[in-house]
Amino acid sequence: MASPRQSDLFHLDEQSDLFGEETPTPEYRADPDSVRAELYKILAEARAAKQLPWEPKTVLLYRTIFPQMTNWLPDEEGAQLRFEFEAEIKRLEAA
């Protein structure tokens, strides 16, 4: 049996509500227009280049984040941009 001075570890005490009710974590929603602008900027750099215009580390970064960023756009638009980006990367790697 627990001592009267020892608190019960499985019982919520008054201090659990010390700061008021729990507020839900705010959900982040990216602005599709700013995402679109950034994606088109990256794609324009690739289209204008005759060879990879970025360091290998940046290529790896873009290959990772470009498809993820397209998830903030409508499905068809995102799929088209992913297709165009991969086509440009393949063209540049072959050069």
Side-chain angles (χ1 to χ4, degrees):
M1 179 166 207
S3 143
R5 295 182 320 183
Q6 184 179 7
S7 64
D8 184 356
L9 296 176
F10 301 102
H11 176 22
L12 296 175
D13 58 20
E14 307 83 48
Q15 289 189 354
S16 64
D17 194 27
L18 187 60
F19 298 105
E21 292 184 27
E22 286 186 34
T23 56
T25 304
E27 186 175 322
Y28 175 74
R29 305 291 303 161
D31 175 35
D33 291 333
S34 63
V35 169
R36 188 177 289 114
E38 185 65 25
L39 292 172
Y40 277 109
K41 178 182 157 229
I42 294 169
L43 197 53
E45 284 181 55
R47 286 178 174 153
K50 293 190 187 317
Q51 58 186 1
L52 279 169
W54 311 292
E55 296 293 322
K57 196 169 24 173
T58 304
V59 174
L60 184 59
L61 173 69
Y62 284 168
R63 283 196 126 148
T64 302
I65 66 170
F66 195 96
Q68 292 174 355
M69 290 174 67
T70 63
N71 291 330
W72 292 105
L73 302 175
D75 291 341
E76 286 184 26
E77 182 181 9
Q80 182 63 37
L81 284 170
R82 284 190 300 274
F83 174 79
E84 291 176 26
F85 177 73
E86 275 306 313
E88 288 302 321
I89 291 295
K90 287 178 184 174
R91 175 186 68 82
L92 292 168
E93 286 178 336

